[in-house]
Amino acid sequence: MLGAERRKRLLHAVRAEGVAHVGMLAERLDVSPSTIRRDLSALQAQGLLNRTHGGAMAEAVQADEPDRPQRSGVASREKSKLASAAVEHIAPGATILVTGGTTTAAMVPLLEGIERLTVVTNSLHLAVDLARFEEISTVVLGGYLRHREMSLLGHLTRQALEELQVDEAFVGAYGITEAGISGAHVDEAETDRWLLSRVRRITALVDGSKFGRSGPVRIAPARQLYRVITDGSAPEDELDALRAAGVDVVQV
Amino acid sequence: MLGAERRKRLLHAVRAEGVAHVGMLAERLDVSPSTIRRDLSALQAQGLLNRTHGGAMAEAVQADEPDRPQRSGVASREKSKLASAAVEHIAPGATILVTGGTTTAAMVPLLEGIERLTVVTNSLHLAVDLARFEEISTVVLGGYLRHREMSLLGHLTRQALEELQVDEAFVGAYGITEAGISGAHVDEAETDRWLLSRVRRITALVDGSKFGRSGPVRIAPARQLYRVITDGSAPEDELDALRAAGVDVVQV
DNA sequence: TCACTGTTGCTCATTTTTGCTCATTGACGC
DNA sequence: GCGTCAATGAGCAAAAATGAGCAACAGTGA
C-alpha cells in the first residue's frame, strides 16, 4: 500500500471513530507501530488530528473546542501568571502584536487600563475578547480563516501587517529549545514566522512543559527572541542556553 | 482506553451532571482513584472544571456573554425568510461578500451545503459563526475593530478586498429609499460603501420597516443594486421605484 | 550498473502513564 | 475546640509508549 493512501485511511479511521490506538492501527493496516507513529506525527503537523499518548484523537480535550469557547478570563492560574508578567512590560501608547493561543489569550483581561494601547492580532478569539474593552484600540489582521484555531492566515494577513508599525509581539509556542520556538501546525506557524520577522521585540510566553519540545515548524530562532516568560518548572540548563543566546529570561 | 479519551469523557460527565465524585468516576472508567485525581488536576489546570474535595464541579457558566447573545441561528423568522431567499441564488463555487448585521447573519447557517463556497466578510460576528462550518472557505477582511458592532473598518479592510475577486455582495441597511440604501453609523457605512463599490452584484436584505427611512450615510445608490430582498410589508410604490431603477425586487 | 533518496521495521534508552503506599490535610459531627 | 475518617498529594516501581538511530530495501535518474 502506498504511504499516502495509508495516511488517508488512517485519518479516516481517526475521524470516523473519534479515537484510535497505535497498536490497533498498526494491526489493521499491517505495518509496524513505528510507521503508524510517524504517520500520526505527520498528520498532526498538518493539523489534521491530535496526537495523544497511545494513539490519536479527532478532537482534543483542550480549550480550543469551538463549541465551548469559555474564553475571556477563564485562564488557568499558571497561564494568568505568565500573562501578568508579560503585560507588566507594556508601556502606555504601545502597539503590540498578539498571536493566537490560550496563553496569550490570558493577557487580554489584564490589558485593561493601559492607556492608548493598540493591539494587533490575527486571532479571532483574541479579537472577540478584545472587543469587550472599548479603550483598547484593536486591529485585526485579515486573512483566510483556519477554522479549528480560529486564526487568520496567509497572504492577506502578511500584507496587513506591512501597513502597521508594531513595537512588540507576544507569542505562545508549541515548543521551545535553545534553537528557538516552534509551532505544531505548518500553515499557522508559517504565518506566525512571517509576522514575527517584521517585529523587533518578541516576547514568548511558554510554560515549563514546552521546554525541550520541538514542533515541526520553527517560528523564531532564539537570537530573534527578546524575552521569554516562563514558570518555575522550566529546566535550568535550557534557560541558561537561552540566556547565553542573549534572551531576557523571566521566571514567575 | 486512551488517556486523552478518558479525560474527555470525564469532562463530559462532569459537565453533564454538574458534579462528580472521584470514586464514582474511577469505577465508571475502570481506573484507580489516583488516575482520576490526576486527570481532574490536569483539567483544572486548563480551566475546564473546578476541583473540589471528593470530586469536581463543572466550570461556572459565564452567565451573560455580552458578545454573542442571540446569535448563531436564533434569527427571527422574518430575517430567516429574507436570508433564505438570498442564499437561493448563490451558485456553487461562488465567492460572496457579506457585511455585518443581524439580517445577513441569518444567512450563515443556510450556507452549509453550497459547494466550494468562499465567504468574505468584515464582521467578526459573521466570521465566528462561519468558523463552525468547515467546508466553507472563509476570508476575513482585516481592519480596525469597531467594538460596538464587531465590524472591521478602515484602510486595511479596503486594501484586503483589493486582493480579492468577489462575485456578489449581500448587505443589510439602516434604511432604503428610491435613492438607495443608507447606513446609521458614519465610519461603518463609509467602509461598506467602499467595499460595495468594488463588487458588481449587490443584493440588499431589508425588511419592510426599512423602507422610506434614510440614515446619515448613503451606502449604495439604487442603480448600483442588483437585487433587493424584502418581505410582504414593503410599500408597493417604493418597490415600483426600485424596479424602475432596474433593481430586481424579490418579496418573500 | 550505480549512486542517491525516501520509506520501513527493528532496537534501545528515555519518557509517560498508572496503581500503590503512606504521611498529611481538610471536612464534618459532636 | 476536638476527634474521626475520607480524601489528598508526593513518592515509587512497573508497564507501556515513544523517539532517535540504524540497517535493509525499493524506487529514481544518471
Side-chain angles (χ1 to χ4, degrees):
Chain A
M1 189 193 313
L2 230 46
E5 185 193 352
R6 187 185 57 240
R7 275 183 286 277
K8 194 172 178 179
R9 281 220 242 169
L10 208 155
L11 181 59
H12 187 263
V14 173
R15 292 219 165 126
E17 296 164 39
V19 299
H21 300 251
V22 169
M24 184 192 76
L25 291 166
E27 194 176 336
R28 197 193 302 184
L29 298 171
D30 197 29
V31 290
S32 72
S34 287
T35 301
I36 296 293
R37 286 196 197 96
R38 273 186 282 248
D39 285 344
L40 291 179
S41 298
L43 291 169
Q44 185 190 33
Q46 294 174 57
L48 299 173
L49 50 73
N50 290 292
R51 193 71 218 288
T52 69
H53 248 269
M57 294 179 63
E59 276 186 34
V61 195
Q62 296 156 6
D64 56 339
E65 289 182 59
D67 317 324
R68 186 173 283 265
Q70 60 103 36
R71 317 225 110 228
S72 297
V74 213
S76 71
R77 188 149 316 153
E78 210 49 57
K79 293 185 190 223
S80 285
K81 272 167 63 184
L82 296 184
S84 175
V87 168
E88 256 179 37
H89 297 95
I90 302 173
T95 298
I96 64 172
L97 169 69
V98 184
T99 63
T102 51
T103 313
T104 47
M107 291 174 63
V108 171
L110 306 171
L111 294 173
E112 191 171 24
I114 300 178
E115 289 179 9
R116 307 188 315 285
L117 178 68
T118 300
V119 179
V120 181
T121 184
N122 70 324
S123 158
L124 268 197
H125 276 320
L126 258 296
V128 171
D129 284 357
L130 284 162
R132 297 191 298 132
F133 303 102
E134 303 237 351
E135 337 77 65
I136 301 177
S137 170
T138 302
V139 177
V140 178
L141 301 171
Y144 300 91
L145 176 64
R146 188 174 162 88
H147 295 78
R148 190 173 298 271
E149 284 84 22
M150 301 272 276
S151 59
L152 302 168
L153 309 177
H155 159 242
L156 288 176
T157 316
R158 299 200 293 264
Q159 181 186 277
L161 189 69
E162 298 248 24
E163 301 291 319
L164 301 168
Q165 182 64 39
V166 174
D167 299 319
E168 187 165 7
F170 294 87
V171 298
Y174 171 77
I176 181 169
T177 68
E178 60 185 65
I181 55 176
S182 53
H185 304 304
V186 175
D187 35 6
E188 196 167 23
E190 204 164 302
T191 297
D192 281 354
R193 182 169 57 186
W194 197 95
L195 295 179
L196 296 183
S197 73
R198 317 286 302 180
V199 178
R200 205 161 352 114
R201 279 189 175 189
I202 301 172
T203 295
L205 285 72
V206 285
D207 61 66
S209 69
K210 309 283 177 65
F211 276 84
R213 189 161 75 172
S214 184
V217 193
R218 194 163 73 176
I219 298 175
R223 68 184 144 67
Q224 208 180 331
L225 297 178
Y226 169 73
R227 179 176 286 140
V228 167
I229 298 176
T230 187
D231 54 43
S233 70
E236 264 311 316
D237 53 339
E238 298 266 7
L239 295 182
D240 284 336
L242 286 173
R243 288 195 193 97
V247 181
D248 180 17
V249 175
V250 177
Q251 272 186 299
V252 295
Chain B
M1 186 189 316
L2 234 45
E5 181 189 0
R6 186 186 57 240
R7 276 182 286 277
K8 193 171 183 177
R9 283 216 230 174
L10 207 155
L11 181 59
H12 188 260
V14 172
R15 282 184 174 159
E17 296 164 38
V19 297
H21 299 260
V22 170
M24 184 192 75
L25 291 167
E27 194 176 336
R28 197 194 301 185
L29 298 171
D30 197 29
V31 290
S32 72
S34 287
T35 301
I36 296 293
R37 287 197 196 94
R38 274 187 281 247
D39 285 344
L40 292 179
S41 299
L43 291 170
Q44 185 188 34
Q46 292 178 59
L48 298 172
L49 50 73
N50 285 315
R51 195 69 218 290
T52 65
H53 292 256
M57 288 177 61
E59 177 67 31
V61 181
Q62 314 281 296
D64 48 340
E65 273 194 64
D67 311 324
R68 29 164 47 204
Q70 75 328 343
R71 310 232 112 228
S72 295
V74 206
S76 71
R77 187 147 318 156
E78 212 48 59
K79 292 184 192 228
S80 285
K81 272 167 66 182
L82 295 184
S84 175
V87 168
E88 253 178 40
H89 297 95
I90 302 173
T95 298
I96 63 172
L97 169 69
V98 184
T99 64
T102 50
T103 313
T104 48
M107 291 173 65
V108 172
L110 306 171
L111 294 173
E112 191 172 23
I114 299 178
E115 289 179 11
R116 305 189 316 284
L117 179 66
T118 300
V119 179
V120 181
T121 184
N122 70 323
S123 159
L124 269 196
H125 276 321
L126 259 297
V128 171
D129 285 356
L130 284 163
R132 295 190 300 130
F133 303 100
E134 304 235 352
E135 335 76 66
I136 301 178
S137 170
T138 302
V139 176
V140 177
L141 301 172
Y144 300 92
L145 176 63
R146 188 174 161 88
H147 294 78
R148 190 173 302 273
E149 282 85 20
M150 301 271 279
S151 59
L152 301 168
L153 310 177
H155 158 240
L156 287 176
T157 317
R158 299 201 293 266
Q159 180 185 278
L161 190 69
E162 297 250 26
E163 301 291 317
L164 301 168
Q165 183 64 40
V166 174
D167 299 321
E168 188 165 8
F170 294 87
V171 298
Y174 170 78
I176 182 168
T177 67
E178 60 184 68
I181 56 176
S182 53
H185 304 301
V186 175
D187 36 6
E188 196 168 23
E190 202 164 302
T191 297
D192 280 356
R193 182 169 59 187
W194 196 93
L195 294 179
L196 296 183
S197 73
R198 317 284 305 180
V199 178
R200 208 164 345 117
R201 280 189 174 187
I202 301 171
T203 296
L205 284 73
V206 285
D207 62 65
S209 68
K210 308 283 176 65
F211 277 84
R213 187 161 77 173
S214 184
V217 193
R218 194 163 72 175
I219 298 175
R223 66 183 145 69
Q224 209 181 329
L225 297 178
Y226 169 73
R227 177 177 286 138
V228 168
I229 298 177
T230 187
D231 55 43
S233 71
E236 264 310 318
D237 53 338
E238 297 266 7
L239 296 182
D240 282 339
L242 286 172
R243 288 195 192 95
V247 180
D248 179 17
V249 176
V250 177
Q251 273 185 296
V252 294

